[in-house]
Structure formats: C-alpha cells, structure tokens
PDB file of all heavy atoms in Angstrom:
ATOM      1  N   ARG P  29     165.026 119.611 118.986  1.00 92.00           N
ATOM      2  CA  ARG P  29     166.102 118.691 119.343  1.00 92.00           C
ATOM      3  C   ARG P  29     166.080 117.506 118.560  1.00 92.00           C
ATOM      4  O   ARG P  29     165.251 117.257 117.619  1.00 92.00           O
ATOM      5  CB  ARG P  29     165.758 118.328 120.768  1.00 92.00           C
ATOM      6  CG  ARG P  29     164.474 117.390 120.906  1.00 92.00           C
ATOM      7  CD  ARG P  29     164.154 117.161 122.455  1.00 92.00           C
ATOM      8  NE  ARG P  29     162.957 116.242 122.575  1.00 92.00           N
ATOM      9  CZ  ARG P  29     162.367 115.986 123.649  1.00 92.00           C
ATOM     10  NH1 ARG P  29     162.759 116.509 124.716  1.00 92.00           N
ATOM     11  NH2 ARG P  29     161.340 115.287 123.565  1.00 92.00           N
ATOM     12  N   GLY P  30     167.151 116.722 118.593  1.00 93.00           N
ATOM     13  CA  GLY P  30     167.325 115.552 117.911  1.00 93.00           C
ATOM     14  C   GLY P  30     167.355 115.688 116.396  1.00 93.00           C
ATOM     15  O   GLY P  30     167.709 116.747 115.844  1.00 93.00           O
ATOM     16  N   ARG P  31     166.988 114.572 115.688  1.00 93.00           N
ATOM     17  CA  ARG P  31     167.157 114.586 114.152  1.00 93.00           C
ATOM     18  C   ARG P  31     166.164 115.524 113.440  1.00 93.00           C
ATOM     19  O   ARG P  31     166.410 115.876 112.333  1.00 93.00           O
ATOM     20  CB  ARG P  31     167.003 113.174 113.650  1.00 93.00           C
ATOM     21  CG  ARG P  31     168.116 112.234 114.129  1.00 93.00           C
ATOM     22  CD  ARG P  31     167.913 110.820 113.607  1.00 93.00           C
ATOM     23  NE  ARG P  31     168.999 109.941 113.876  1.00 93.00           N
ATOM     24  CZ  ARG P  31     169.072 108.660 113.482  1.00 93.00           C
ATOM     25  NH1 ARG P  31     168.164 108.095 112.961  1.00 93.00           N
ATOM     26  NH2 ARG P  31     170.175 108.000 113.838  1.00 93.00           N
ATOM     27  N   LEU P  32     165.130 115.917 114.215  1.00 95.00           N
ATOM     28  CA  LEU P  32     164.213 116.782 113.523  1.00 95.00           C
ATOM     29  C   LEU P  32     164.719 118.258 113.377  1.00 95.00           C
ATOM     30  O   LEU P  32     164.150 119.116 112.670  1.00 95.00           O
ATOM     31  CB  LEU P  32     162.845 116.854 114.188  1.00 95.00           C
ATOM     32  CG  LEU P  32     162.019 115.531 114.034  1.00 95.00           C
ATOM     33  CD1 LEU P  32     160.693 115.642 114.841  1.00 95.00           C
ATOM     34  CD2 LEU P  32     161.699 115.265 112.496  1.00 95.00           C
ATOM     35  N   GLN P  33     165.699 118.543 114.191  1.00 95.00           N
ATOM     36  CA  GLN P  33     166.316 119.921 114.149  1.00 95.00           C
ATOM     37  C   GLN P  33     166.765 120.347 112.699  1.00 95.00           C
ATOM     38  O   GLN P  33     166.665 121.439 112.370  1.00 95.00           O
ATOM     39  CB  GLN P  33     167.523 120.083 115.073  1.00 95.00           C
ATOM     40  CG  GLN P  33     167.200 120.283 116.496  1.00 95.00           C
ATOM     41  CD  GLN P  33     168.445 120.488 117.362  1.00 95.00           C
ATOM     42  OE1 GLN P  33     169.304 119.525 117.479  1.00 95.00           O
ATOM     43  NE2 GLN P  33     168.541 121.664 117.918  1.00 95.00           N
ATOM     44  N   ALA P  34     167.141 119.344 112.051  1.00 92.00           N
ATOM     45  CA  ALA P  34     167.647 119.692 110.638  1.00 92.00           C
ATOM     46  C   ALA P  34     166.483 120.115 109.690  1.00 92.00           C
ATOM     47  O   ALA P  34     166.679 120.746 108.612  1.00 92.00           O
ATOM     48  CB  ALA P  34     168.283 118.376 110.047  1.00 92.00           C
ATOM     49  N   TYR P  35     165.304 119.855 110.101  1.00 93.00           N
ATOM     50  CA  TYR P  35     164.210 120.245 109.309  1.00 93.00           C
ATOM     51  C   TYR P  35     163.364 121.459 109.849  1.00 93.00           C
ATOM     52  O   TYR P  35     162.299 121.764 109.258  1.00 93.00           O
ATOM     53  CB  TYR P  35     163.195 119.066 109.117  1.00 93.00           C
ATOM     54  CG  TYR P  35     164.004 117.839 108.579  1.00 93.00           C
ATOM     55  CD1 TYR P  35     164.240 116.768 109.492  1.00 93.00           C
ATOM     56  CD2 TYR P  35     164.326 117.778 107.244  1.00 93.00           C
ATOM     57  CE1 TYR P  35     164.887 115.622 108.912  1.00 93.00           C
ATOM     58  CE2 TYR P  35     164.989 116.598 106.687  1.00 93.00           C
ATOM     59  CZ  TYR P  35     165.302 115.627 107.624  1.00 93.00           C
ATOM     60  OH  TYR P  35     165.980 114.507 107.147  1.00 93.00           O
ATOM     61  N   ALA P  36     163.936 122.054 110.891  1.00 95.00           N
ATOM     62  CA  ALA P  36     163.194 123.180 111.501  1.00 95.00           C
ATOM     63  C   ALA P  36     163.326 124.422 110.567  1.00 95.00           C
ATOM     64  O   ALA P  36     164.369 124.684 109.946  1.00 95.00           O
ATOM     65  CB  ALA P  36     163.833 123.515 112.862  1.00 95.00           C
ATOM     66  N   LEU P  37     162.218 125.099 110.373  1.00 95.00           N
ATOM     67  CA  LEU P  37     162.180 126.304 109.601  1.00 95.00           C
ATOM     68  C   LEU P  37     161.974 127.527 110.546  1.00 95.00           C
ATOM     69  O   LEU P  37     161.349 127.396 111.530  1.00 95.00           O
ATOM     70  CB  LEU P  37     161.009 126.304 108.658  1.00 95.00           C
ATOM     71  CG  LEU P  37     161.069 125.197 107.563  1.00 95.00           C
ATOM     72  CD1 LEU P  37     159.933 125.327 106.714  1.00 95.00           C
ATOM     73  CD2 LEU P  37     162.336 125.277 106.688  1.00 95.00           C
ATOM     74  N   PRO P  38     162.566 128.669 110.188  1.00 92.00           N
ATOM     75  CA  PRO P  38     162.378 129.853 111.077  1.00 92.00           C
ATOM     76  C   PRO P  38     160.995 130.322 111.108  1.00 92.00           C
ATOM     77  O   PRO P  38     160.213 130.216 110.062  1.00 92.00           O
ATOM     78  CB  PRO P  38     163.318 130.947 110.377  1.00 92.00           C
ATOM     79  CG  PRO P  38     163.529 130.389 108.967  1.00 92.00           C
ATOM     80  CD  PRO P  38     163.381 128.974 109.043  1.00 92.00           C
ATOM     81  N   ASP P  39     160.522 130.692 112.318  1.00 90.00           N
ATOM     82  CA  ASP P  39     159.151 131.232 112.462  1.00 90.00           C
ATOM     83  C   ASP P  39     159.188 132.796 112.190  1.00 90.00           C
ATOM     84  O   ASP P  39     159.952 133.447 112.821  1.00 90.00           O
ATOM     85  CB  ASP P  39     158.600 130.998 113.888  1.00 90.00           C
ATOM     86  CG  ASP P  39     157.239 131.339 114.019  1.00 90.00           C
ATOM     87  OD1 ASP P  39     156.590 131.996 113.103  1.00 90.00           O
ATOM     88  OD2 ASP P  39     156.562 130.979 115.017  1.00 90.00           O
ATOM     89  N   THR P  40     158.595 133.140 111.092  1.00 94.00           N
ATOM     90  CA  THR P  40     158.594 134.632 110.657  1.00 94.00           C
ATOM     91  C   THR P  40     157.767 135.445 111.615  1.00 94.00           C
ATOM     92  O   THR P  40     157.826 136.727 111.458  1.00 94.00           O
ATOM     93  CB  THR P  40     158.120 134.775 109.251  1.00 94.00           C
ATOM     94  OG1 THR P  40     156.793 134.272 109.180  1.00 94.00           O
ATOM     95  CG2 THR P  40     159.076 134.019 108.360  1.00 94.00           C
ATOM     96  N   GLU P  41     157.019 134.883 112.530  1.00 95.00           N
ATOM     97  CA  GLU P  41     156.304 135.625 113.576  1.00 95.00           C
ATOM     98  C   GLU P  41     156.422 134.870 114.842  1.00 95.00           C
ATOM     99  O   GLU P  41     155.440 134.416 115.413  1.00 95.00           O
ATOM    100  CB  GLU P  41     154.773 135.634 113.074  1.00 95.00           C
ATOM    101  CG  GLU P  41     154.371 136.397 111.858  1.00 95.00           C
ATOM    102  CD  GLU P  41     154.272 137.881 112.106  1.00 95.00           C
ATOM    103  OE1 GLU P  41     154.635 138.394 113.264  1.00 95.00           O
ATOM    104  OE2 GLU P  41     153.816 138.637 111.213  1.00 95.00           O
ATOM    105  N   PRO P  42     157.615 134.945 115.539  1.00 93.00           N
ATOM    106  CA  PRO P  42     157.952 134.154 116.675  1.00 93.00           C
ATOM    107  C   PRO P  42     157.039 134.625 117.929  1.00 93.00           C
ATOM    108  O   PRO P  42     156.862 133.885 118.899  1.00 93.00           O
ATOM    109  CB  PRO P  42     159.376 134.406 116.957  1.00 93.00           C
ATOM    110  CG  PRO P  42     159.749 135.611 116.244  1.00 93.00           C
ATOM    111  CD  PRO P  42     158.827 135.713 114.969  1.00 93.00           C
ATOM    112  N   ASP P  43     156.603 135.876 117.859  1.00 96.00           N
ATOM    113  CA  ASP P  43     155.753 136.304 119.010  1.00 96.00           C
ATOM    114  C   ASP P  43     154.267 136.029 118.822  1.00 96.00           C
ATOM    115  O   ASP P  43     153.479 136.299 119.812  1.00 96.00           O
ATOM    116  CB  ASP P  43     156.012 137.809 119.208  1.00 96.00           C
ATOM    117  CG  ASP P  43     157.340 138.112 119.571  1.00 96.00           C
ATOM    118  OD1 ASP P  43     158.144 137.353 120.125  1.00 96.00           O
ATOM    119  OD2 ASP P  43     157.943 139.172 119.017  1.00 96.00           O
ATOM    120  N   ALA P  44     153.874 135.567 117.655  1.00 98.00           N
ATOM    121  CA  ALA P  44     152.393 135.327 117.535  1.00 98.00           C
ATOM    122  C   ALA P  44     152.020 134.024 118.262  1.00 98.00           C
ATOM    123  O   ALA P  44     152.658 133.092 118.386  1.00 98.00           O
ATOM    124  CB  ALA P  44     152.260 135.177 115.991  1.00 98.00           C
ATOM    125  N   PRO P  45     150.695 134.119 118.783  1.00 97.00           N
ATOM    126  CA  PRO P  45     150.169 132.904 119.478  1.00 97.00           C
ATOM    127  C   PRO P  45     149.745 131.865 118.546  1.00 97.00           C
ATOM    128  O   PRO P  45     149.337 130.661 119.056  1.00 97.00           O
ATOM    129  CB  PRO P  45     149.008 133.502 120.245  1.00 97.00           C
ATOM    130  CG  PRO P  45     148.547 134.682 119.366  1.00 97.00           C
ATOM    131  CD  PRO P  45     149.777 135.279 118.794  1.00 97.00           C
ATOM    132  N   GLY P  46     149.718 132.001 117.237  1.00 98.00           N
ATOM    133  CA  GLY P  46     149.330 131.059 116.218  1.00 98.00           C
ATOM    134  C   GLY P  46     149.917 131.268 114.944  1.00 98.00           C
ATOM    135  O   GLY P  46     150.991 132.052 114.838  1.00 98.00           O
ATOM    136  N   GLN P  47     149.461 130.649 113.914  1.00 98.00           N
ATOM    137  CA  GLN P  47     150.130 130.767 112.629  1.00 98.00           C
ATOM    138  C   GLN P  47     148.963 130.946 111.618  1.00 98.00           C
ATOM    139  O   GLN P  47     147.914 130.197 111.621  1.00 98.00           O
ATOM    140  CB  GLN P  47     150.959 129.516 112.288  1.00 98.00           C
ATOM    141  CG  GLN P  47     152.087 129.239 113.214  1.00 98.00           C
ATOM    142  CD  GLN P  47     152.654 127.860 113.188  1.00 98.00           C
ATOM    143  OE1 GLN P  47     153.181 127.417 112.252  1.00 98.00           O
ATOM    144  NE2 GLN P  47     152.245 127.074 114.330  1.00 98.00           N
ATOM    145  N   LEU P  48     149.250 131.657 110.563  1.00 98.00           N
ATOM    146  CA  LEU P  48     148.282 131.803 109.457  1.00 98.00           C
ATOM    147  C   LEU P  48     149.103 131.793 108.161  1.00 98.00           C
ATOM    148  O   LEU P  48     150.070 132.457 107.948  1.00 98.00           O
ATOM    149  CB  LEU P  48     147.636 133.261 109.499  1.00 98.00           C
ATOM    150  CG  LEU P  48     146.641 133.550 108.345  1.00 98.00           C
ATOM    151  CD1 LEU P  48     145.416 132.690 108.455  1.00 98.00           C
ATOM    152  CD2 LEU P  48     146.216 135.050 108.327  1.00 98.00           C
ATOM    153  N   TYR P  49     148.713 130.923 107.273  1.00 98.00           N
ATOM    154  CA  TYR P  49     149.316 130.784 106.016  1.00 98.00           C
ATOM    155  C   TYR P  49     148.373 130.879 104.845  1.00 98.00           C
ATOM    156  O   TYR P  49     147.186 130.509 104.957  1.00 98.00           O
ATOM    157  CB  TYR P  49     150.029 129.358 105.931  1.00 98.00           C
ATOM    158  CG  TYR P  49     151.037 129.187 107.023  1.00 98.00           C
ATOM    159  CD1 TYR P  49     150.816 128.276 108.066  1.00 98.00           C
ATOM    160  CD2 TYR P  49     152.320 129.785 106.977  1.00 98.00           C
ATOM    161  CE1 TYR P  49     151.768 128.156 109.110  1.00 98.00           C
ATOM    162  CE2 TYR P  49     153.364 129.589 107.957  1.00 98.00           C
ATOM    163  CZ  TYR P  49     152.969 128.698 108.968  1.00 98.00           C
ATOM    164  OH  TYR P  49     153.852 128.535 110.016  1.00 98.00           O
ATOM    165  N   ASN P  50     148.887 131.355 103.759  1.00 98.00           N
ATOM    166  CA  ASN P  50     148.167 131.494 102.516  1.00 98.00           C
ATOM    167  C   ASN P  50     148.656 130.303 101.628  1.00 98.00           C
ATOM    168  O   ASN P  50     149.666 130.485 101.031  1.00 98.00           O
ATOM    169  CB  ASN P  50     148.363 132.821 101.809  1.00 98.00           C
ATOM    170  CG  ASN P  50     147.632 132.945 100.517  1.00 98.00           C
ATOM    171  OD1 ASN P  50     147.209 131.932  99.901  1.00 98.00           O
ATOM    172  ND2 ASN P  50     147.297 134.259 100.087  1.00 98.00           N
ATOM    173  N   LEU P  51     147.929 129.249 101.584  1.00 98.00           N
ATOM    174  CA  LEU P  51     148.378 128.013 100.872  1.00 98.00           C
ATOM    175  C   LEU P  51     148.479 128.205  99.364  1.00 98.00           C
ATOM    176  O   LEU P  51     149.235 127.515  98.655  1.00 98.00           O
ATOM    177  CB  LEU P  51     147.589 126.800 101.172  1.00 98.00           C
ATOM    178  CG  LEU P  51     147.608 126.378 102.672  1.00 98.00           C
ATOM    179  CD1 LEU P  51     146.680 125.026 102.801  1.00 98.00           C
ATOM    180  CD2 LEU P  51     148.987 126.037 103.040  1.00 98.00           C
ATOM    181  N   ALA P  52     147.697 129.130  98.825  1.00 97.00           N
ATOM    182  CA  ALA P  52     147.793 129.442  97.348  1.00 97.00           C
ATOM    183  C   ALA P  52     149.184 130.084  97.043  1.00 97.00           C
ATOM    184  O   ALA P  52     149.771 129.704  96.038  1.00 97.00           O
ATOM    185  CB  ALA P  52     146.673 130.375  97.026  1.00 97.00           C
ATOM    186  N   ASP P  53     149.702 130.975  97.826  1.00 97.00           N
ATOM    187  CA  ASP P  53     150.915 131.633  97.628  1.00 97.00           C
ATOM    188  C   ASP P  53     152.115 130.993  98.229  1.00 97.00           C
ATOM    189  O   ASP P  53     153.173 131.043  97.845  1.00 97.00           O
ATOM    190  CB  ASP P  53     150.802 133.128  98.080  1.00 97.00           C
ATOM    191  CG  ASP P  53     149.797 133.933  97.377  1.00 97.00           C
ATOM    192  OD1 ASP P  53     149.481 133.577  96.271  1.00 97.00           O
ATOM    193  OD2 ASP P  53     149.400 134.931  97.953  1.00 97.00           O
ATOM    194  N   ASP P  54     151.800 130.202  99.321  1.00 97.00           N
ATOM    195  CA  ASP P  54     152.890 129.660 100.142  1.00 97.00           C
ATOM    196  C   ASP P  54     152.485 128.328 100.715  1.00 97.00           C
ATOM    197  O   ASP P  54     152.168 127.989 101.792  1.00 97.00           O
ATOM    198  CB  ASP P  54     153.100 130.583 101.359  1.00 97.00           C
ATOM    199  CG  ASP P  54     154.201 130.082 102.293  1.00 97.00           C
ATOM    200  OD1 ASP P  54     155.068 129.417 101.894  1.00 97.00           O
ATOM    201  OD2 ASP P  54     154.010 130.484 103.510  1.00 97.00           O
ATOM    202  N   PRO P  55     152.435 127.306  99.642  1.00 96.00           N
ATOM    203  CA  PRO P  55     152.043 125.950  99.993  1.00 96.00           C
ATOM    204  C   PRO P  55     152.946 125.273 101.024  1.00 96.00           C
ATOM    205  O   PRO P  55     152.565 124.305 101.732  1.00 96.00           O
ATOM    206  CB  PRO P  55     151.982 125.210  98.698  1.00 96.00           C
ATOM    207  CG  PRO P  55     152.951 126.037  97.773  1.00 96.00           C
ATOM    208  CD  PRO P  55     152.774 127.407  98.272  1.00 96.00           C
ATOM    209  N   GLY P  56     154.101 125.856 101.109  1.00 96.00           N
ATOM    210  CA  GLY P  56     155.182 125.183 102.017  1.00 96.00           C
ATOM    211  C   GLY P  56     155.027 125.713 103.451  1.00 96.00           C
ATOM    212  O   GLY P  56     155.783 125.390 104.338  1.00 96.00           O
ATOM    213  N   GLU P  57     154.039 126.597 103.722  1.00 98.00           N
ATOM    214  CA  GLU P  57     153.823 127.140 105.160  1.00 98.00           C
ATOM    215  C   GLU P  57     155.081 127.813 105.641  1.00 98.00           C
ATOM    216  O   GLU P  57     155.498 127.355 106.846  1.00 98.00           O
ATOM    217  CB  GLU P  57     153.165 126.135 105.978  1.00 98.00           C
ATOM    218  CG  GLU P  57     151.707 125.566 105.415  1.00 98.00           C
ATOM    219  CD  GLU P  57     151.268 124.482 106.201  1.00 98.00           C
ATOM    220  OE1 GLU P  57     151.644 123.224 105.911  1.00 98.00           O
ATOM    221  OE2 GLU P  57     150.453 124.668 107.143  1.00 98.00           O
ATOM    222  N   THR P  58     155.649 128.598 104.961  1.00 97.00           N
ATOM    223  CA  THR P  58     156.962 129.128 105.402  1.00 97.00           C
ATOM    224  C   THR P  58     156.787 130.624 105.907  1.00 97.00           C
ATOM    225  O   THR P  58     157.709 131.081 106.704  1.00 97.00           O
ATOM    226  CB  THR P  58     157.993 129.202 104.269  1.00 97.00           C
ATOM    227  OG1 THR P  58     157.501 129.963 103.152  1.00 97.00           O
ATOM    228  CG2 THR P  58     158.309 127.758 103.693  1.00 97.00           C
ATOM    229  N   ARG P  59     155.723 131.328 105.466  1.00 98.00           N
ATOM    230  CA  ARG P  59     155.592 132.785 105.888  1.00 98.00           C
ATOM    231  C   ARG P  59     154.288 132.885 106.754  1.00 98.00           C
ATOM    232  O   ARG P  59     153.193 132.858 106.164  1.00 98.00           O
ATOM    233  CB  ARG P  59     155.450 133.689 104.657  1.00 98.00           C
ATOM    234  CG  ARG P  59     156.760 133.582 103.820  1.00 98.00           C
ATOM    235  CD  ARG P  59     156.764 134.538 102.658  1.00 98.00           C
ATOM    236  NE  ARG P  59     155.594 134.316 101.722  1.00 98.00           N
ATOM    237  CZ  ARG P  59     155.558 133.436 100.723  1.00 98.00           C
ATOM    238  NH1 ARG P  59     156.700 132.715 100.494  1.00 98.00           N
ATOM    239  NH2 ARG P  59     154.545 133.277  99.959  1.00 98.00           N
ATOM    240  N   ASN P  60     154.476 133.097 108.036  1.00 98.00           N
ATOM    241  CA  ASN P  60     153.457 133.257 108.991  1.00 98.00           C
ATOM    242  C   ASN P  60     152.957 134.638 108.841  1.00 98.00           C
ATOM    243  O   ASN P  60     153.621 135.627 109.168  1.00 98.00           O
ATOM    244  CB  ASN P  60     153.951 133.011 110.363  1.00 98.00           C
ATOM    245  CG  ASN P  60     152.807 133.023 111.443  1.00 98.00           C
ATOM    246  OD1 ASN P  60     151.710 133.278 111.145  1.00 98.00           O
ATOM    247  ND2 ASN P  60     153.173 132.770 112.740  1.00 98.00           N
ATOM    248  N   LEU P  61     151.628 134.806 108.506  1.00 98.00           N
ATOM    249  CA  LEU P  61     151.030 136.032 108.236  1.00 98.00           C
ATOM    250  C   LEU P  61     150.049 136.491 109.419  1.00 98.00           C
ATOM    251  O   LEU P  61     149.132 137.327 109.263  1.00 98.00           O
ATOM    252  CB  LEU P  61     150.153 135.981 106.942  1.00 98.00           C
ATOM    253  CG  LEU P  61     150.972 135.597 105.746  1.00 98.00           C
ATOM    254  CD1 LEU P  61     150.072 135.562 104.500  1.00 98.00           C
ATOM    255  CD2 LEU P  61     152.118 136.578 105.424  1.00 98.00           C
ATOM    256  N   TYR P  62     150.236 135.874 110.635  1.00 98.00           N
ATOM    257  CA  TYR P  62     149.341 136.043 111.728  1.00 98.00           C
ATOM    258  C   TYR P  62     149.186 137.573 111.989  1.00 98.00           C
ATOM    259  O   TYR P  62     147.990 137.981 112.226  1.00 98.00           O
ATOM    260  CB  TYR P  62     149.844 135.324 112.943  1.00 98.00           C
ATOM    261  CG  TYR P  62     148.807 135.114 114.021  1.00 98.00           C
ATOM    262  CD1 TYR P  62     148.120 133.933 114.048  1.00 98.00           C
ATOM    263  CD2 TYR P  62     148.660 136.022 115.046  1.00 98.00           C
ATOM    264  CE1 TYR P  62     147.207 133.721 115.043  1.00 98.00           C
ATOM    265  CE2 TYR P  62     147.687 135.850 116.035  1.00 98.00           C
ATOM    266  CZ  TYR P  62     146.999 134.690 116.062  1.00 98.00           C
ATOM    267  OH  TYR P  62     146.096 134.425 117.034  1.00 98.00           O
ATOM    268  N   HIS P  63     150.239 138.288 112.143  1.00 97.00           N
ATOM    269  CA  HIS P  63     150.052 139.703 112.552  1.00 97.00           C
ATOM    270  C   HIS P  63     149.773 140.649 111.303  1.00 97.00           C
ATOM    271  O   HIS P  63     149.309 141.719 111.436  1.00 97.00           O
ATOM    272  CB  HIS P  63     151.410 140.189 113.158  1.00 97.00           C
ATOM    273  CG  HIS P  63     151.658 139.682 114.567  1.00 97.00           C
ATOM    274  ND1 HIS P  63     150.512 139.665 115.493  1.00 97.00           N
ATOM    275  CD2 HIS P  63     152.661 139.225 115.257  1.00 97.00           C
ATOM    276  CE1 HIS P  63     150.933 139.091 116.677  1.00 97.00           C
ATOM    277  NE2 HIS P  63     152.223 138.938 116.499  1.00 97.00           N
ATOM    278  N   GLN P  64     150.102 140.077 110.099  1.00 97.00           N
ATOM    279  CA  GLN P  64     149.946 140.884 108.887  1.00 97.00           C
ATOM    280  C   GLN P  64     148.458 140.916 108.473  1.00 97.00           C
ATOM    281  O   GLN P  64     147.923 141.850 107.795  1.00 97.00           O
ATOM    282  CB  GLN P  64     150.825 140.353 107.756  1.00 97.00           C
ATOM    283  CG  GLN P  64     152.282 140.516 108.058  1.00 97.00           C
ATOM    284  CD  GLN P  64     153.078 139.974 106.859  1.00 97.00           C
ATOM    285  OE1 GLN P  64     152.827 140.239 105.706  1.00 97.00           O
ATOM    286  NE2 GLN P  64     154.212 139.301 107.250  1.00 97.00           N
ATOM    287  N   ARG P  65     147.762 139.793 108.821  1.00 98.00           N
ATOM    288  CA  ARG P  65     146.370 139.746 108.380  1.00 98.00           C
ATOM    289  C   ARG P  65     145.404 139.435 109.622  1.00 98.00           C
ATOM    290  O   ARG P  65     144.874 138.472 109.651  1.00 98.00           O
ATOM    291  CB  ARG P  65     146.166 138.678 107.301  1.00 98.00           C
ATOM    292  CG  ARG P  65     146.993 138.851 105.944  1.00 98.00           C
ATOM    293  CD  ARG P  65     146.639 140.177 105.305  1.00 98.00           C
ATOM    294  NE  ARG P  65     145.186 140.239 104.962  1.00 98.00           N
ATOM    295  CZ  ARG P  65     144.673 139.916 103.780  1.00 98.00           C
ATOM    296  NH1 ARG P  65     145.477 139.282 102.820  1.00 98.00           N
ATOM    297  NH2 ARG P  65     143.425 140.020 103.515  1.00 98.00           N
ATOM    298  N   PRO P  66     145.449 140.368 110.509  1.00 98.00           N
ATOM    299  CA  PRO P  66     144.612 140.132 111.755  1.00 98.00           C
ATOM    300  C   PRO P  66     143.057 140.035 111.423  1.00 98.00           C
ATOM    301  O   PRO P  66     142.469 139.301 112.239  1.00 98.00           O
ATOM    302  CB  PRO P  66     144.866 141.440 112.630  1.00 98.00           C
ATOM    303  CG  PRO P  66     145.347 142.484 111.511  1.00 98.00           C
ATOM    304  CD  PRO P  66     146.021 141.774 110.486  1.00 98.00           C
TER     305      PRO P  66
END
C-alpha cells in the first residue's frame, strides 16, 4: 500500500514460508530460491 507499492518486487516463491537468496549471483535479492535449494 501507499508510496512503497511502486517499489514492490514480485515474489518468485509466493508460497514459501521464507526467502533464500544467493547474494553472489543475485545481490538485488530478486530470485527467491527457498524451494529450489531446500
């Protein structure tokens, strides 16, 4: 909601209870690998 909506990024794992990112490959934290790297 509000002005932060413009900065929302899609969650690539919307059903995951958490988030996992590889900062070396994805420093912008855009690709949630939670289910891909259990």
Side-chain angles (χ1 to χ4, degrees):
R29 65 185 184 191
R31 293 180 174 180
L32 288 179
Q33 277 185 297
Y35 305 106
L37 297 179
D39 188 347
T40 57
E41 295 275 10
D43 298 328
Q47 300 162 69
L48 178 71
Y49 299 105
N50 181 336
L51 293 182
D53 298 336
D54 179 26
E57 297 173 279
T58 61
R59 299 186 299 276
N60 186 358
L61 305 177
Y62 195 94
H63 286 320
Q64 295 180 43
R65 299 301 302 269

